[in-house]
Amino acid sequence: MASVKGLSFTFSELGIAILRMKRGQNRINIEFIEAFNECLDKIEQKSDCRGLLTTGEGKFYSNGLDLDWLSKQNTEGRNNFKLAFNSLFTRLLTFPIPTIAAINGHAYAGGALLALAHDFRVMNSEKGWFCMNEVHINLRLSTFFLALLRAKISTKIVEHRLLVFGHNYTAKEAVEAALVDRATSAALLESESLRYLERWIGKNGFQRDSLHNMKQDVYADVVKLVNASKL
């Protein structure tokens, strides 16, 4: 097992990387992003890795942006964070191996977006909400947020309820809204998530360049926002 600032990862017998977020509420700040990227670097360097599963511990998958930390940053710090945030999420969105979020608990705002950046999602059916709660705390969604969300949300009705009204989705509701692919018990969450991902990977897996390029093309509207912000 390798550990980086409260994140760790191991590999399953079938070559799936299991990345565990163990930072309490797993709020997203610059340290979280740097640690996540370092884990992804090491996972990507393992040429026989066939897929990626991410999960949290306890009550939270991720409780979104670390707003307390962000409020203490100056303009340059906030801009640097925004670029790092968008780049990480785009990296995950277009990662060259199949990815799945095993949502163990609450996934709020940026935490819900983190889950949506994966190819697949399995949610704990016993506890946890899936929610974009910005409307309840008087925050606006960035252009990047909206582009990624709209690339993943199935219908305008779901978009309206999730974003405009900040609805707290149970696992059952999230499956019905196609925000997650399936729900299962806490005890089976990881094993069922691995089984689900392995089914999509198949016997031969994917050629990394081909999968990455296809994701780049499918999510071009999201990718171009990040590329433009780097100019």
Side-chain angles (χ1 to χ4, degrees):
M1 180 177 71
S3 298
V4 182
K5 297 179 182 178
L7 276 64
S8 68
F9 63 90
T10 57
F11 294 92
S12 74
E13 293 179 357
L14 294 178
I16 307 298
I18 302 170
L19 193 162
R20 304 183 194 281
M21 301 176 288
K22 301 184 287 187
R23 295 168 58 95
Q25 295 186 22
N26 294 321
R27 287 193 176 273
I28 302 167
N29 53 35
I30 199 66
E31 184 176 87
F32 176 95
I33 290 172
E34 290 172 350
F36 208 106
N37 269 317
E38 187 171 340
C39 288
L40 292 184
D41 288 343
K42 293 177 179 178
I43 290 166
E44 197 168 354
Q45 289 165 9
K46 189 172 174 60
S47 60
D48 59 348
C49 180
R50 303 171 67 243
L52 168 67
L53 178 151
T54 71
T55 193
E57 289 187 341
K59 187 177 180 180
F60 291 93
Y61 175 75
S62 171
N63 203 14
L65 299 186
D66 187 344
L67 296 176
D68 289 340
W69 173 86
L70 196 57
S71 69
K72 298 173 185 175
Q73 307 307 304
N74 58 24
T75 300
E76 182 181 4
R78 288 193 296 272
N79 288 338
N80 289 339
F81 171 77
K82 180 180 178 181
L83 178 58
F85 177 94
N86 294 357
S87 296
L88 170 62
F89 277 53
T90 303
R91 182 183 186 184
L92 189 56
L93 184 70
T94 61
F95 208 56
I97 54 178
T99 61
I100 192 165
I103 306 171
N104 55 290
H106 297 308
Y108 279 112
L113 196 69
L114 178 64
L116 286 170
H118 293 67
D119 296 313
F120 307 104
R121 287 153 294 284
V122 177
M123 189 169 173
N124 182 351
S125 60
E126 298 171 353
K127 65 178 181 180
W129 303 105
F130 190 99
C131 178
M132 295 295 299
N133 65 333
E134 281 79 2
V135 68
H136 299 302
I137 54 177
N138 197 28
L139 290 179
R140 304 286 293 274
L141 294 170
S142 70
T143 302
F144 174 81
F145 257 61
L146 285 170
L148 200 160
L149 285 162
R150 286 170 173 163
K152 290 287 187 168
I153 293 172
S154 59
T155 69
K156 287 295 181 181
I157 292 175
V158 174
E159 180 180 319
H160 186 72
R161 293 173 181 173
L162 179 69
L163 304 184
V164 177
F165 283 93
H167 178 63
N168 284 327
Y169 281 82
T170 64
K172 181 176 182 295
E173 290 174 326
V175 171
E176 292 170 349
L179 292 169
V180 304
D181 297 279
R182 59 171 49 188
T184 190
S185 67
L188 296 176
L189 179 65
E190 191 169 306
S191 62
E192 286 297 312
S193 297
L194 286 170
R195 187 175 295 113
Y196 189 78
L197 185 61
E198 287 161 3
R199 189 183 87 185
W200 282 96
I201 293 171
K203 182 179 179 180
N204 298 320
F206 288 86
Q207 184 179 343
R208 288 190 177 187
D209 286 347
S210 178
L211 187 62
H212 174 68
N213 289 338
M214 182 58 72
K215 290 180 180 181
Q216 289 265 5
D217 293 342
V218 169
Y219 299 115
D221 287 344
V222 179
V223 172
K224 69 182 181 183
L225 290 173
V226 175
N227 290 340
S229 67
K230 293 178 179 177
L231 297 177

